[in-house]
């Protein structure tokens, strides 16, 4: 029988309406402090207008990504949702609210160009990400 899961929560203050924030280093710090060498890391963003993705941390690409999401789901006053942020809910739902990644050698097992991002679509806000680390 393996060890119990380690449950943590990360808080992030976003600064813009739309923004990508690289969480990789902070998640690796949580894995390190939990002392887990091998296992799974499940991440869940606890909001309806933010998402989690895995992609490349290149500034031009981050800009392209956010601009493309806005072209796909424009800010449009005709959404029925009364908060004025219908576009943000739809963009977040298209990308998804969770990621499950492997832990190997005490860090997230990612490809050379992969990072884990929080994607803000309705900032600035404080965002919370639930982290569940499952030792193998
Ligand atoms: Zn809303």
């Amino acid at each position: 029988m393996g060890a119990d899961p380690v449950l943590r929560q990360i808080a992030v203050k976003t600064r813009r309406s739309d923004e990508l924030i690289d969480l990789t280093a902070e998640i690796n710090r949580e894995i390190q402090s939990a002392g887990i060498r091998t296992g799974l890391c499940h991440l869940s963003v606890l909001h309806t207008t933010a998402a989690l993705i895995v992609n490349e941390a290149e500034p031009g690409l981050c800009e392209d990504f956010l601009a493309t999401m806005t072209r796909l789901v424009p800010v449009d006053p005709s959404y029925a949702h009364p908060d004025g942020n219908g576009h943000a809910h739809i963009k977040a739902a298209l990308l998804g609210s969770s990621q499950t990644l492997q832990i190997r050698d005490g860090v997230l097992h990612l490809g050379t160009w992969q990072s884990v991002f929080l994607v803000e679509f309705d900032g600035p806000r404080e965002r919370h990400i639930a982290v569940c680390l499952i030792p193998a």
Side-chain angles (χ1 to χ4, degrees):
M1 198 168 78
D4 289 338
V6 175
L7 304 176
R8 300 277 172 86
Q9 194 157 298
I10 293 172
V12 178
K13 282 192 168 66
T14 63
R15 294 156 306 202
R16 294 192 283 277
S17 63
D18 294 60
E19 184 175 12
L20 283 158
I21 295 182
D22 189 342
L23 301 176
T24 312
E26 189 156 2
I27 295 163
N28 279 333
R29 281 194 292 276
E30 295 290 347
I31 294 168
Q32 189 177 23
S33 80
I36 294 173
R37 301 290 304 163
T38 307
L40 288 176
C41 171
H42 184 267
L43 304 166
S44 179
V45 64
L46 304 177
H47 306 275
T48 57
T49 55
L52 292 171
I53 64 167
V54 176
N55 216 294
E56 184 176 343
E58 190 278 313
L61 179 63
C62 292
E63 197 178 308
D64 292 340
F65 183 82
L66 294 171
T68 301
M69 290 303 295
T70 298
R71 276 199 300 278
L72 290 171
V73 187
V75 178
D76 177 344
S78 72
Y79 293 115
H81 183 56
D83 293 354
N85 65 355
H87 60 284
H89 288 281
I90 293 166
K91 285 193 276 192
L94 287 173
L95 297 180
S97 64
S98 69
Q99 294 285 332
T100 305
L101 298 162
Q102 296 178 34
I103 300 165
R104 293 195 193 183
D105 300 322
V107 294
L108 288 176
H109 185 54
L110 294 167
T112 305
W113 302 108
Q114 288 183 309
S115 295
V116 182
F117 291 94
L118 171 73
V119 192
E120 174 65 84
F121 288 122
D122 194 29
R125 290 172 187 263
E126 181 167 303
R127 299 301 197 172
H128 300 94
I129 298 102
V131 180
C132 179
L133 304 173
I134 304 164

